[in-house]
Amino acid sequence: MTLWVASALAFVLLLTMPGWDPSPWTGALAAVLFVGVQWAGLRVAVGPDWVALFRRPRWRDVALALAAVPLVLGLPGLVAVYGLGMSHLSANASVDAVAGLTSAQLVARFALVAVQLLGEELLTILPLLATVALLHRVGMPARWAIAVAWVATALLFGALHLPTYQWHVGQALLVIGTARLVLTAVFLYTRNLWASTIAHIANDWAIMAFALAFSRSMGP
């Protein structure tokens, strides 16, 4: 329960704090708290064992994380094209916004995104672990508990992106949910939160870099 509460509180702070004060410093503080509140919840729930989630990544973990990026990009793309139709999808305003930033603002933006994505990994993995523990405690076999939690937290992650994509249910649950399935699979295989975080950051940075390059190639 502690992990669920910490993740929910952190997400509420991430959403609401920029509304209190739209300055960049508030957005940065919200991202830091997004990570910090969830880490604190993990620390309360498991004590010093929290470090097990944050083992130093091996080269194999990094290689697997980077190898997963084409799947994180490609599988949701296939769902978008063949399942929903690209013409019906909504743009991500935060990705499009990078086109108008200065060099210094871009550096700050990419760094802030990395922090927030670590928070998003915690937002998925902590509830996943809590759900697996609960299902296993009530008698569900471990493999089934992991499978149920894997899908359930992917759908939850997609649902949390509904405001980002103008409440497009199919895009949030199916496209973003598919990307989340791949990212969570990286964690389940490596048992290391840094691995799925590296994959997530590499994926989003690649999308942002492409959007930036495309906007500049089009010119004023």
Side-chain angles (χ1 to χ4, degrees), residues 85-197:
M86 291 293 291
S87 62
H88 301 294
L89 301 184
S90 299
N92 186 325
S94 64
V95 171
D96 294 340
V98 300
L101 300 180
T102 65
S103 296
Q105 289 172 329
L106 281 172
V107 171
R109 178 62 182 167
F110 273 72
L112 184 60
V113 164
V115 174
Q116 182 169 323
L117 294 180
L118 172 57
E120 290 190 10
E121 287 306 303
L122 288 166
L123 186 68
T124 304
I125 301 306
L126 296 189
L128 178 135
L129 295 175
T131 302
V132 169
L134 175 63
L135 293 176
H136 190 57
R137 191 155 49 239
V138 298
M140 183 176 288
R143 288 187 177 182
W144 277 104
I146 292 171
V148 170
W150 180 47
V151 174
T153 51
L155 291 173
L156 172 64
F157 183 81
L160 295 178
H161 283 75
L162 281 168
T164 303
Y165 296 99
Q166 289 73 56
W167 301 94
H168 191 305
V169 175
Q171 185 173 359
L173 297 186
L174 299 181
V175 178
I176 303 303
T178 297
R180 184 63 255 176
L181 287 173
V182 179
L183 291 169
T184 303
V186 172
F187 167 77
L188 291 173
Y189 188 80
T190 63
R191 296 294 194 272
N192 193 331
L193 193 78
W194 287 125
S196 58
T197 300

